[in-house]
Amino acid sequence: MSNLRPRVYDLVLQIPAGRVLAYGDVAGALGCPGAARQVGYAMAALGPGGLDKQGRAVPWQRVILSSGFVAMRGDPVRGPLQRQLLEEEGVQFDGDRVDLKRFRWDLRDVTLV
DNA sequence: TCCATGACTCCGC
DNA sequence: CGCGGAGCCATGG
């Protein structure tokens, strides 16, 4: 299945505020287990404001590392911003990591288009 | 077509 | 529980 990015955005757009998903979760849900890094790349490809090519505001902050930390590579200012955005929508941090037991979104509710 | 690039993961120590 | 290394694979030049 080519064009993974658009599908990544479609799924991320379905993540409810206050919940998070790991890059690997997204890849797996799209039938591409192991393509976690590509999901991260798709996020990095988003323009300012998290807008995709269709102008949709993708809630990129809801995708984090499977360990619960927010990814720190690339733009050093994104990390703190991501954490702030998540806390504003109710996601609580235990130290520097999200408690995945409580905030990881249950993919069973997804309706893939 | 080949090759470098990544906002990743898993596993062993 | 932290670190380092190998594995993974879609994209774009």
Side-chain angles (χ1 to χ4, degrees):
Chain A
M1 190 76 78
S2 59
N3 274 340
L4 179 67
R5 284 187 192 172
R7 301 180 354 104
V8 167
Y9 300 145
D10 287 336
L11 178 56
V12 175
L13 280 166
Q14 294 184 59
I15 305 176
R19 306 325 285 288
V20 299
L21 228 43
Y23 297 93
D25 292 337
V26 177
L30 296 177
C32 299
R37 302 185 68 176
Q38 285 54 243
V39 173
Y41 187 70
M43 290 300 157
L46 285 172
L51 300 179
D52 67 1
K53 275 191 173 181
Q54 301 176 50
R56 300 180 297 179
V58 180
W60 55 272
Q61 72 274 22
R62 295 175 194 155
V63 186
I64 64 179
L65 300 178
S66 63
S67 54
F69 289 103
V70 294
M72 290 301 288
R73 288 199 193 184
D75 188 348
V77 89
R78 190 196 65 258
L81 169 62
Q82 181 166 11
R83 173 172 181 153
Q84 185 193 316
L85 290 174
L86 287 176
E87 294 187 309
E88 286 178 356
E89 48 184 60
V91 175
Q92 303 177 317
F93 281 70
D94 174 21
D96 284 328
R97 72 171 65 185
V98 171
D99 184 346
L100 293 176
K101 288 275 199 252
R102 299 170 54 194
F103 300 100
R104 194 177 215 163
W105 186 36
D106 189 343
L107 281 168
R108 287 177 301 183
D109 308 327
V110 190
T111 306
L112 295 177
V113 186

